[in-house]
Amino acid sequence: MLHTEMEGIKELHQEVWENCLKVIRDNLNYQSFKTWFFPIKPIKLENNILTIQVPSQFFYEWLEEHYITLLKKTIRNELGPNGRLEYSIVMDGAYTSTPYTVNVPTSNRKATTNPSVQMPIDLNAGNKSKEIPNPFVIPGLKKIQVQSQLNESYSFDNFIEGDCNRLARSAGYAVACNPGKTAFNPLFLYSAVGLGKTHLSQAIGLQVKNNFPEKTVLYVATEQFTQQFIDSVRSNNQNDFVHFYQMIDVLIIDDIHFLSGKEKTQDVFFHIFNHLHQKGKQLILTSDKPPVELKGLEPRLLSRFKWGLSADLQIPDLETRIAILKKRLYKDGIDMPFEVLEYLAYNITSNVRELEGALISLMAQSSLNKKSITIELARQMLEKFVKTSQKEISIDFIQKVVCDYFDIPVDSINSKTRKRDIVQARQLAMYYSKKHTKASLATIGLHCGNKDHATVLHACRTVNNLIETDRQFRTYVEEIEKRIKF
Ligand code: ADP
Ligand code: MG
């Protein structure tokens, strides 16, 4: 019974692939078909994902480069709109004697290109001042193509959902299904760094392109927007700049907080915003703070930011962090023991970018040194990783550690008092500042009770002498040193 059932499943993926091949064969010349499709073996069909085995990395790249559109179309024909393709690549085993396979999903390249759009200006005028100042415009006859600037790997597929991002993600998804037509306009996404603002905003753009290939989507970082505006003012074609932005259907502006204090750019953005919003075009903005906390932005802009929906992204919990790492490995076709993944997810809690950074350095370490990926390797790597990403030690921080250690108030160091324990704390603060910061003796003196550089030098000598002669004192120094470094 079980046996026949399993045979049934096996037949299904073969059948699906054979049907695909029929369509593919009709669309290619025989030679290409034979070269590129004969060697492919269907392996399995699970969750609507058909996995095909290809004989090498090169083979995989060639298929992705030349036949991906055809492949995707036929897969969708066979499996419906959610049908997907995955490759199992046979690697030649450079480090191992036996070949092994890695699995990778197909890419999303098509979703990053925009159709040509009609521009309200004549690009053939031959008049320099009329030229579009925009770096992402490729002039054509009358039509121009706007490069979306989207990165195909920032898709919804690759964006893991968790409690930390549920509202933002589902609002983003709704926007992508109905750009400009939901109440979420603008969609304002905010969070601290490395929590997925850029990824999610781009995912919306990619999804719009998947749903509505005819729409023009543009992703632009605020710095780039500002720079373009400045350039357009310099070459006296601000109008073209404004026209350009006014014809976008879905405009994504990343890190809008960088508009702070830039009044002229805010002004021009205000007009673009109004125009797009009135015409039912979609705006997606990201920022490091919610609108109410943004400083240096005009009130009229801030009030518009609040028209739609503001949603934040928070630090993902452990489970979500593990899922993110898993996805990343899957995307890159790499395998790693689960305990190592868990170890990384458990230890890196600051943000997703650092988490991915750790994963990448671990993989680099392992492949460069040809070591296998183990918890031990992860621990060694993490030690270095955490040390290098540590903040620079400041004089203030040193004072705090020293005073905490002796249980005296921090400002006593800066007072005039000559009480013995405070003098000693002050001298230690000077000593550590000299040792751990790049500050000059004069600066250290200034910050430790307004003393001169000679006093600092004297303090350092005193501490060194005491370390040599006084065991109790040496213990203090070592313990404080540990706390400073920790
Ligand atoms: P931000 O723009 O907020 O600084 P990014 O969008 O650049 O953050 O995200 C940093 C990294 O973390 C990116 O590589 C992104 O793909 C990844 N990332 C963030 N959130 C998620 C998530 N929920 N699922 C998968 N990857 C994520
Ligand atoms: Mg970002």
Side-chain angles (χ1 to χ4, degrees):
M1 178 62 196
L2 191 68
H3 190 67
T4 47
E5 252 179 30
M6 282 178 58
E7 274 185 350
I9 295 169
K10 198 172 144 204
E11 273 164 14
L12 188 58
H13 67 257
Q14 283 171 339
E15 198 183 305
V16 166
W17 182 239
E18 271 159 27
N19 289 342
C20 290
L21 284 182
K22 278 181 206 146
V23 181
I24 294 169
R25 195 174 46 211
D26 290 344
N27 282 280
L28 290 184
N29 67 46
Y30 185 69
Q31 191 54 43
S32 308
F33 180 69
K34 198 178 132 197
T35 313
W36 298 108
F37 291 88
F38 269 29
I40 297 176
K41 275 193 222 134
I43 298 194
K44 62 176 182 198
L45 177 64
E46 257 173 36
N47 305 325
N48 233 5
I49 303 176
L50 177 72
T51 307
I52 56 172
Q53 189 180 70
V54 296
S56 68
Q57 174 83 17
F58 174 73
F59 209 97
Y60 150 74
E61 282 168 12
W62 186 274
L63 288 174
E64 279 281 294
E65 185 77 31
H66 296 90
Y67 301 116
I68 189 59
T69 317
L70 180 60
L71 271 168
K72 275 194 174 167
K73 253 189 215 154
T74 51
I75 291 285
R76 289 207 182 116
N77 265 346
E78 281 303 308
L79 299 177
N82 293 324
R84 270 187 290 142
L85 183 68
E86 194 177 296
Y87 301 91
S88 165
I89 308 171
V90 179
M91 305 303 265
D92 64 0
Y95 300 132
T96 54
S97 50
T98 45
Y100 62 105
T101 61
V102 298
N103 290 336
V104 288
T106 53
S107 62
N108 212 358
R109 220 160 282 163
K110 273 285 169 289
T112 59
T113 34
N114 278 321
S116 305
V117 283
Q118 204 84 42
M119 275 289 282
I121 21 169
D122 183 4
L123 288 163
N124 277 340
N127 178 350
K128 261 263 174 261
S129 72
K130 281 240 164 152
E131 248 173 44
I132 294 279
N134 227 286
F136 21 82
V137 173
I138 308 162
L141 284 172
K142 267 260 168 98
K143 287 192 160 186
I144 60 157
Q145 201 173 16
V146 180
Q147 286 174 10
S148 67
Q149 304 207 105
L150 292 169
N151 174 344
E152 65 190 63
S153 66
Y154 285 150
S155 61
F156 267 111
D157 255 0
N158 292 336
F159 191 79
I160 302 293
E161 180 172 0
D163 288 340
C164 55
N165 60 32
R166 204 168 315 274
L167 173 67
R169 189 188 175 283
S170 52
Y173 200 81
V175 162
C177 295
N178 238 333
K181 306 279 186 307
T182 66
F184 314 145
N185 200 13
L187 178 61
F188 192 97
L189 304 170
Y190 65 94
S191 78
V193 293
L195 293 177
K197 298 183 292 293
T198 299
H199 186 146
L200 182 56
S201 65
Q202 291 224 6
I204 302 169
L206 287 171
Q207 194 61 27
V208 169
K209 295 294 311 175
N210 274 325
N211 296 341
F212 311 94
E214 75 288 356
K215 288 206 188 289
T216 299
V217 176
L218 176 64
Y219 165 90
V220 62
T222 299
E223 297 101 311
Q224 200 183 4
F225 180 84
T226 307
Q227 192 54 48
Q228 286 168 2
F229 173 63
I230 294 171
D231 290 347
S232 79
V233 172
R234 226 174 256 150
S235 46
N236 201 20
N237 47 15
Q238 284 175 65
N239 283 344
D240 292 351
F241 173 85
V242 173
H243 285 318
F244 172 80
Y245 275 94
Q246 285 179 343
M247 67 174 192
I248 306 295
D249 295 314
V250 176
L251 179 60
I252 305 164
I253 303 204
D254 202 2
D255 292 326
I256 198 82
H257 52 274
F258 287 132
L259 276 190
S260 164
K262 307 203 169 88
E263 284 160 29
K264 294 256 165 52
T265 319
Q266 286 181 34
D267 202 46
V268 76
F269 177 60
F270 179 76
H271 291 293
I272 291 169
F273 184 105
N274 286 344
H275 181 96
L276 292 178
H277 199 273
Q278 264 165 29
K279 284 179 65 184
K281 309 294 180 160
Q282 180 71 42
L283 290 124
I284 298 156
L285 310 170
T286 80
S287 159
D288 66 349
K289 290 191 189 64
V292 280
E293 285 173 30
L294 278 176
K295 301 223 166 66
L297 266 86
E298 288 178 41
R300 57 178 188 169
L301 259 187
L302 288 180
S303 85
R304 272 161 181 73
F305 290 171
K306 292 180 215 153
W307 279 357
L309 176 77
S310 306
D312 68 336
L313 298 166
Q314 288 171 355
I315 295 179
D317 56 21
L318 180 65
E319 210 176 301
T320 312
R321 293 202 296 277
I322 292 177
I324 290 173
L325 288 179
K326 268 194 184 159
K327 185 77 193 191
R328 178 75 204 228
L329 290 177
Y330 167 73
K331 206 178 95 205
D332 296 346
I334 290 156
D335 215 6
M336 168 179 305
F338 182 70
E339 47 170 20
V340 178
L341 263 199
E342 217 176 23
Y343 180 81
L344 290 180
Y346 198 84
N347 282 286
I348 302 177
T349 53
S350 45
N351 67 51
V352 183
R353 190 173 300 149
E354 296 224 330
L355 193 62
E356 290 188 339
L359 185 71
I360 291 165
S361 24
L362 186 58
M363 295 190 308
Q365 287 254 350
S366 125
S367 74
L368 288 176
N369 305 328
K370 303 198 176 151
K371 284 186 193 160
S372 50
I373 297 175
T374 58
I375 291 240
E376 192 42 43
L377 188 68
R379 190 172 16 242
Q380 287 167 12
M381 191 271 315
L382 222 58
E383 258 170 29
K384 281 186 219 139
F385 192 78
V386 171
K387 235 180 246 160
T388 51
S389 72
Q390 203 176 41
K391 267 193 263 159
E392 236 177 74
I393 298 170
S394 67
I395 300 177
D396 286 346
F397 174 71
I398 289 170
Q399 290 184 347
K400 175 145 185 6
V401 174
V402 172
C403 292
D404 282 355
Y405 186 83
F406 293 113
D407 201 16
I408 54 177
V410 178
D411 43 16
S412 62
I413 283 192
N414 289 305
S415 69
K416 289 251 177 296
T417 178
R418 302 190 57 85
K419 273 202 226 141
R420 201 174 167 267
D421 55 338
I422 290 176
V423 170
Q424 194 162 73
R426 192 184 291 134
Q427 287 182 331
L428 277 167
M430 290 173 172
Y431 164 84
Y432 289 120
S433 300
K434 171 83 179 58
K435 193 166 169 191
H436 293 299
T437 74
K438 293 194 191 82
S440 65
L441 293 174
T443 310
I444 295 171
L446 198 67
H447 285 86
C448 300
N450 202 9
K451 308 286 186 205
D452 62 11
H453 82 279
T455 312
V456 179
L457 212 53
H458 174 71
C460 294
R461 284 206 195 103
T462 310
V463 171
N464 277 322
N465 281 339
L466 281 172
I467 291 173
E468 302 267 307
T469 54
D470 182 339
R471 268 178 61 194
Q472 178 63 48
F473 186 80
R474 186 161 65 225
T475 319
Y476 290 160
V477 172
E478 281 164 4
E479 279 176 12
I480 299 172
E481 177 89 27
K482 262 189 222 143
R483 290 194 193 181
I484 289 174
K485 282 200 179 146
F486 188 71

